[in-house]
Structure formats: C-alpha cells, structure tokens
Amino acid sequence: MKRFVTQMSAVCLCLALIPAASHALGKKKKKQTDLSQNPLANVNSKQPDKELFDKAMKALKKGKYDVARLDLQTLLNTYPDTEYAMRAKLAIGDTWYKEGGSAALTQAEQEYKDFITFFPNTPEAAEAQMKVGDIYFQQMEKPDRDPQNAMHAEQEYRTMIQQFPDSPLIPRAKQRLREVQEVLAQRQFEIGEFYAARENWTASIARLQTVADTYPLFSKSDQTLITLGDAYVTLAQMTQKLNLPPKAKEELVQAYNDRAAAAYDRVVTRYAMAPHVEDAKDRLIAMGRPIPEPTQAELAESEAEEGSRTNVHIKDRALLLVKPGPSTIRAARVGEPTVTDPPQTTAPQVREATAAMYEAAVKGQPIPAPTQGASATAAAAATSASVPASGASSGAAVEMEAVPTGSSGGTSTSVEVINPSANSSTGAANTSAPATGTGETAAPGNGSSAPANPGAEYGLKPVGPSNTNAPLPPVDKPAPAPEQINDVKAGEQSKAQVQTGTKGKKNVPVDNSKESSTKKKKKGLGKLNPF
C-alpha cells in the first residue's frame, strides 16, 4: 500500500512539472526567434552600427519615418563600410514609400533607382524594382482619366520581369502586370466604342484592333472583336451604296466581310468560353459563314482564363464609387501578360489601307491583305492613293502641284486669261494677273487703256443703263417736319383731334362728366370720404 502511494505521488509531481517546463521552453524558443530575425549580424553583437540599424528599424515599424531616415543616414555617413549599408540604403526608400503622398513616393522612386544602380546584382535589387512598379500602381486612376501612371506601372513591371527573371517576386509582378493591362485595355476599348457610336469607323477600328493585338487577356476581348467585326460589316454596307463599277464594288464588299468574319472566328476559337461567344456564332450564321471548331488546347486555355476571373459583386460596385483607383477585379489570374507590345494600329494607317483597297479594286488589281502596325504604314506608303470619287472607273490618283512662292517668301496665285482672238486689241493672248497680298488683283499700268466694252467681240452686252448721257433725276427733297401739337390752348382743340374725329363732325364738345379727373366734385356720401 505504501508503495502504491509513493508511485502515485511521483506521477502527480511529474504532471505538475510538465506545464512549467513547456512554458520555459516556449519562452526560450520565442527569445531565439526574435534574436534570429536579422541574418546580417550575430544576435549577441553589440556593435554601434547594429545598434543604430536596429533603432532605425524600430522607428520605421512605429511609423516614425523622419527618425528612421535620420538614423539610417547617420549610419551610412558614420560607417560607410558597414555590412548594413545595403539594407540601410533600401530602408531609406521604404521610409518614403510607407509615408505615402505624391512627393514622398517620388522621393522613394529615386531612392530605389539609386539602390538598383549601386547594387544591381543583389536579390534586393529585384525588390527595389518591384516597389518602383508598386509606386505607380498605387497612383493609377480610372480608365477614363489620365493613363500616365498606368503606363509607367506597365513599363516598370515589364522591366522587373525582363531584368530579374529568377526572382521569387516574378509571379507577383506578372499578376500586377495583368491588372495594369486590364485598365489600359479598358481605356482603349471605351474609346473604340465611343468612336463606333459616332460612326467614326476609321478611329474605332484602330482602337479596337490595338486592344485585340496588345491585350489578349482582357476580360472583354470577345466584345472587342465583335465590335470590330460589326464595324467592318457596316463599312461593307456603306460600300454597296457607292457609285462604283460592279466588279470593284463586289470585291470591296467581299474584303470587308472577310475581315468581319475573321474577327468573329477569333472569338469562337480563342475565347470559346467567353460570355458573348454565342453572339459571334449568330453573326457568322447570318453572314452564311461556317462556324469554326476550337481545339482542345484553346478550350482549356479559355476555360482557365474565365475561371480565374473574380465576379463583381454589389459591394465591389459600391466601393468603386468612392475608391479613387480603378477596378481590377475582372483581371485574369493565369496566362502570360504581354511583355513586348506589337506594332500599334493607328487611324491614319487604317485610312491609308482603305484608300489602297479602293484603288486596287478600281484598277482591277488584287486587294491587299490587312496589315497591322508598322507594316500597314509601309504598304500604304507604297500606294500613296486616295479614295476614288463616285463614278470613277479607272485612272491614276490625282496629283497636286506645288504652289510656287513669290520673291517675298509668301504664296502668290496667278490667273491665266486665255484670249481666243490672237489679233485682239485688249492685249496679249495670255495674260497673267498676280494677286496682291491683300487679296485684290493688281491694277493695270499707267500706259494701258481699258476698252469701253471688252466683251463686245464675244457677244456680251454691257452691264448698266443703256443711256449714259441722260441727266440723273433730282434728289427728292425730304418732307417737312410736322408742326408741334403738344401745346394746346384752353378751350381749343388741336389739329390732331380734328383730323382724328368723327367724319363730317368737327369741334366735337367734350363731356367733362365722363372724364376722370382729380378735381372732380364728389356727390352724396362721397363727400364724407376724405380719400
């Protein structure tokens, strides 16, 4: 019995000591974790540069950015060869970055750029480049506002991906780049729709084609291509109404319809799981074109993109009303963003390509294939033609001659008067009358005399009265002014009253009882009213 009691006491004592031991081990582990946070120096080191660096980090953590910058700058000036120099230089940029504000962010960008210059091959250089992109990302505005910050953010993230491909921050940089390109694509798409609503098809096609080529991960790529195809269909319908040769008109309409069908086909194949793919199929059926079948790889790619997008909820829309920045909720989470922009399509290129199409169709030549970017400029420059006028069937483009300049450096215009009669007494056969600077023609010289009727020999009659020797009629004398009739003597009527009176009745007596006068005598009870 005594032995059993002894064993039970030992077990209870062990159970009582277990929490205390675990608490001690926990405290010891926590202390070791805190001391090992800084891998650049010994945890037990009491060196002055380490103490100064730790003090600056504590101030930065508490939001005392001025104190942290002062300590870090003191560290760099006092200990230029310290092992904390690289981290201190990067931490100075962090103080400006966390302080916020346009001025502070500008200073932070400069600090990060200096750090990349001094330490280009360190892992921290990728971190600095990533923060430069984040500076512009935080200052981005909505798609209908100034796009400069978004464009700078896109460029900085692309630099990050290209210069530091092995950095662990690359996935984050690619996602930020997708979100930035979502905002830029939304801007171009809205501008293209704006031009399409106002039937400016040249500008609309340029914007929509740029979006389709540059931002394939855009959440509204299917709508972009459908709007682009609708623009080509509208141009085909407008071409049918032009006064062109039947064969040329047929070729132009066919070319526009082919481009529209190509845009619809891309929606069906590249964006097979997009919300508006059925609209593209309906348009192909209406045009009598076959519906293409997407491959398994295209289906998987489109499904992954659409599945990675986040749906926009009501709270997101409400937050967008008060949030200064753009919404990037619909940006894709998978896929490779565009790192190098393809050649951009501009409105002048589209206009010149359209002129080349019309000229080739009118001349009976094959219509050139659609080109994009810089190649469109080269193809259009080779043609250097304009859209033919209605009713034109053939012929080269109209060329404009250079206008000669006068001796004074201004522009002079000359008019050539052709005289059919070589023996005319009016002057030479070809006379040139230069215009003066004020828009008036120059007067003839003193030695020249103009004939009375220069157009008599052409059968023209002179303009003006036939009898020029008759005296002019005398100038009509103005009628005398009427007499003043304002002053009328007592007991007399004015002439105006006599003239405007009843016909046949003059000097009509005036009934004073019917006139309103302040001197009229009051009768009856009216005498009692003082007013």
Side-chain angles (χ1 to χ4, degrees), residues 109-403:
E109 179 187 2
Q110 186 62 39
E111 293 292 339
Y112 290 139
K113 291 290 186 181
D114 293 343
F115 181 86
I116 297 173
T117 303
F118 288 114
F119 310 99
N121 299 323
T122 59
E124 288 80 3
E127 180 183 352
Q129 181 62 41
M130 186 68 190
K131 289 184 177 179
V132 172
D134 293 341
I135 288 174
Y136 289 107
F137 185 86
Q138 293 180 2
Q139 300 180 83
M140 282 196 314
E141 299 184 7
K142 290 182 172 59
D144 57 345
R145 301 298 179 184
D146 187 8
Q148 292 300 320
N149 289 327
M151 295 172 65
H152 283 298
E154 181 187 29
Q155 183 60 39
E156 297 298 337
Y157 287 133
R158 286 177 173 178
T159 304
M160 167 70 185
I161 296 173
Q162 292 173 351
Q163 293 186 358
F164 307 97
D166 299 330
S167 174
L169 298 174
I170 289 297
R172 181 171 174 267
K174 287 184 177 181
Q175 181 56 36
R176 284 294 177 90
L177 183 56
R178 295 187 197 101
E179 295 176 2
V180 171
Q181 291 182 350
E182 178 76 14
V183 177
L184 294 174
Q186 179 67 27
R187 171 183 172 80
Q188 296 284 351
F189 174 71
E190 291 180 358
I191 295 175
E193 282 194 328
F194 173 84
Y195 285 126
R198 282 147 184 82
E199 298 183 357
N200 189 345
W201 305 114
T202 301
S204 178
I205 289 174
R207 296 284 183 167
L208 297 174
Q209 189 66 52
T210 300
V211 175
D213 297 337
T214 310
Y215 310 108
L217 298 179
F218 180 41
S219 60
K220 297 180 181 179
S221 294
D222 52 342
Q223 299 181 35
T224 302
L225 291 171
I226 290 175
T227 308
L228 179 62
D230 294 345
Y232 283 125
V233 170
T234 305
L235 289 177
Q237 296 174 356
M238 294 172 59
T239 305
Q240 290 179 347
K241 301 178 182 179
L242 296 179
N243 186 13
L244 295 174
K247 183 179 179 181
K249 183 186 298 186
E250 182 180 358
E251 292 179 355
L252 289 172
V253 171
Q254 182 68 21
Y256 281 129
N257 288 333
D258 290 343
R259 297 185 182 186
Y264 299 146
D265 290 344
R266 188 177 176 186
V267 176
V268 177
T269 55
R270 174 62 178 81
Y271 307 98
M273 304 301 294
H276 298 85
V277 65
E278 295 298 329
D279 297 337
K281 293 181 179 180
D282 293 341
R283 284 166 169 78
L284 288 173
I285 295 174
M287 296 175 63
R289 301 297 180 96
I291 300 177
E293 289 292 336
T295 62
Q296 293 295 331
E298 291 172 341
L299 284 172
E301 183 180 6
S302 179
E303 185 177 3
E305 289 179 4
E306 296 301 326
S308 66
R309 305 185 192 277
T310 304
N311 296 327
V312 181
H313 301 287
I314 297 179
K315 66 174 185 178
D316 300 325
R317 298 183 183 276
L319 184 62
L320 189 61
L321 298 176
V322 296
K323 182 182 177 182
S327 175
T328 57
I329 299 176
R330 293 293 296 166
R333 266 68 179 174
V334 296
E336 291 295 327
T338 305
V339 180
T340 304
D341 287 337
Q344 187 178 5
T345 304
T346 60
Q349 294 172 0
V350 176
R351 188 181 301 109
E352 292 171 359
T354 304
M357 289 175 54
Y358 274 83
E359 184 182 11
V362 169
K363 290 184 177 181
Q365 301 174 357
I367 296 179
T371 54
Q372 301 173 1
S375 57
T377 306
T383 58
S384 65
S386 59
V387 179
S390 60
S393 58
S394 63
V398 179
E399 298 182 357
M400 302 298 293
E401 296 181 356
V403 179

Side-chain angles (χ1 to χ4, degrees), residues 11-34:
V11 170
C12 293
L13 182 61
C14 292
L15 293 175
L17 293 176
I18 287 175
S22 62
H23 182 67
L25 291 174
K27 289 183 66 179
K28 188 175 181 180
K29 284 184 178 180
K30 185 177 181 181
K31 185 176 181 180
Q32 289 179 354
T33 303
D34 292 339

